[in-house]
Amino acid sequence: MSRTLDIDRSDRALPEATTTQRRSLGGACIAHALHDGYTDLLYVLLPVWQAEFGLSYAGLAALRSLYYGTMGGLQVPADRIAARLSIRAALALSTLVAAAGFVVMGLSGGLFGLCAGLVLAGIGSSIQHPRASLLVSDAYGRAARGPLGIYNFAGDIGKATFPVAVALLLGVLAWRPVAGLMALVGLVAAVTLVAVLPRRPLVPAPTRAAKSVAGSSRTGFTLLMAVGALDTATRMGTLLFLPFLLEAKGGTGTTTGLALALVFAGGAFGKAACGWLGERVGVVRSVVVTEAITALLVVALLPLPLVPTLVLLPALGIALNGTSSVLYGTVPDLAPRGDTGRAFALFYTAVIGSGGIAPIAYGAFADRAGETAGLLAAAATALATVPLVLALRGPLKAAQTHTQE
């Protein structure tokens, strides 16, 4: 009788746990799509801001980095502060703050107001990545690699849709009203997060990191952060020059929105494809292949006319964005001392910080040497990851061996 009761309780508990996992993943995906969409819609606005404020490439990159650098630099401190709140409250609040940044941009009358709005939006977005990643990791434990891939994929959905929406809106509205509409979308997302995310704090499921503490090493995690930083630098450099490359080939603002949608749509597919590739051929081999393909395709963009360039962009997106799915899924394997939450915060600090600094360096270089040289520098950065990835073989093998014990 007692055994029967235990089985019944187990059967009743299973749907509840599954629902909690689904709500956690769904909320994390909503937050990721919104905040990544906010980040990448800025690319469509860069030519508009350049024309209005008379900015150089370096100045334009610095303007964007007010958002990106703030978001990256505050990952660890913002995560520590947000840890005092429930993840549900932290994600909803961060979304409201980011939306408020777009309100400030929309109401700005000059460059100073735009800068203030970018900084405020960056503060809001600094909380999302570590908290949402930890939410998914806590909900799924050792089975989190697949859900983390879905979470990563959701970010590309935002990247693919927000730039297109902004590009289309810019055809009928000035950029300030468009910023106000984006703020409204953020408000709706914040309300949705409150409704979707579990009300009670999650009891973390057993993680891979907890079993692989001895096999993990600071060296391995440091290498992983370095690879992530260079991979992000490649992506940011390529995307910085892409709108101007398209304009030089005869493209318009709408063309830029379409081009970014093609890149990020390819990237969304790449997240799934590279995750599959990483599971079957290993992290090292899959990253080496995708980075080499990225460098080749970036160079191939230069001589092509506009239409063939657009045709090539989805393939570029697969390699350009897909690598990150493999890298994010490896964070729990190499988390120092098994502290997955802090590992995610540190990893996102490295990759987002790189995304803030790299465009400034690429922009300054392009101001002197031209857009073509800037794109070639981005391709060279992709190849620079290869020796670092090869050095990861030892730490990954040690972590895998300890996990299997």
Side-chain angles (χ1 to χ4, degrees), residues 88-377:
R88 175 173 176 256
L91 289 178
L93 179 62
S94 70
T95 302
L96 282 176
V97 173
F102 277 84
V103 171
V104 173
M105 288 184 231
L107 296 177
S108 67
L111 185 59
F112 179 80
L114 173 60
C115 293
L118 287 168
V119 170
L120 183 59
I123 292 172
S125 291
S126 66
I127 298 172
Q128 184 273 138
H129 279 112
R131 289 286 98 189
S133 297
L134 181 61
L135 175 65
V136 176
S137 183
D138 282 350
Y140 288 88
R142 296 184 190 121
R145 183 181 289 273
L148 281 171
I150 296 173
Y151 162 76
N152 203 17
F153 169 85
D156 272 8
I157 297 298
K159 292 176 181 179
T161 55
F162 277 68
V164 172
V166 168
L168 292 175
L169 287 170
L170 286 174
V172 294
L173 296 172
W175 72 265
R176 287 179 176 84
V178 172
L181 289 175
M182 292 301 103
L184 180 61
V185 173
L187 176 61
V188 172
V191 173
T192 304
L193 288 172
V194 172
V196 170
L197 290 172
R199 295 178 181 273
R200 297 179 181 178
L202 294 178
V203 177
T207 64
R208 289 174 286 154
K211 292 190 67 177
S212 61
V213 174
S216 300
S217 70
R218 290 185 180 276
T219 300
F221 186 68
T222 300
L223 284 170
L224 183 67
M225 288 195 297
V227 173
L230 290 176
D231 176 66
T232 301
T234 299
R235 185 161 55 255
M236 296 301 106
T238 302
L239 294 176
L240 174 66
F241 296 116
L242 183 60
F244 304 103
L245 178 69
L246 294 172
E247 286 186 3
K249 295 175 184 288
T252 63
T254 303
T255 306
T256 298
L258 172 62
L260 291 173
L262 291 172
V263 171
F264 292 127
F269 176 77
K271 298 293 173 67
C274 290
W276 177 87
L277 187 67
E279 290 289 342
R280 282 154 181 78
V281 305
V283 172
V284 174
R285 290 180 181 176
S286 59
V287 173
V288 168
V289 168
T290 54
E291 295 291 5
I293 292 175
T294 296
L296 178 64
L297 292 179
V298 169
V299 173
L301 291 178
L302 295 172
L304 292 177
L306 180 61
V307 173
T309 295
L310 294 174
V311 172
L312 192 64
L313 290 180
L316 174 63
I318 292 174
L320 191 66
N321 290 344
T323 308
S324 63
S325 188
V326 181
L327 300 178
Y328 294 163
T330 308
V331 170
D333 292 330
L334 296 175
R337 299 186 303 276
D339 190 346
T340 305
R342 180 171 174 79
F344 273 121
L346 290 171
F347 183 80
Y348 283 118
T349 297
V351 299
I352 295 175
S354 171
I357 296 171
I360 298 177
Y362 287 129
F365 180 65
D367 284 334
R368 292 178 176 271
E371 297 168 9
T372 298
L375 276 170
L376 290 175

Side-chain angles (χ1 to χ4, degrees), residues 33-118:
L34 185 280
H35 287 270
D36 274 21
Y38 271 1
T39 302
D40 286 80
L41 68 82
L42 299 180
Y43 285 111
V44 182
L45 294 171
L46 291 182
V48 179
W49 291 339
Q50 185 184 45
E52 180 169 337
F53 300 111
L55 299 170
S56 66
Y57 286 125
L60 204 60
L63 184 65
R64 181 186 175 277
S65 292
L66 288 173
Y67 175 94
Y68 211 85
T70 301
M71 178 174 63
L74 293 180
Q75 292 284 304
V76 173
D79 184 63
R80 287 179 177 175
I81 295 172
R84 301 174 184 176
L85 305 172
S86 68
I87 294 182
R88 175 173 176 256
L91 289 178
L93 179 62
S94 70
T95 302
L96 282 176
V97 173
F102 277 84
V103 171
V104 173
M105 288 184 231
L107 296 177
S108 67
L111 185 59
F112 179 80
L114 173 60
C115 293
L118 287 168

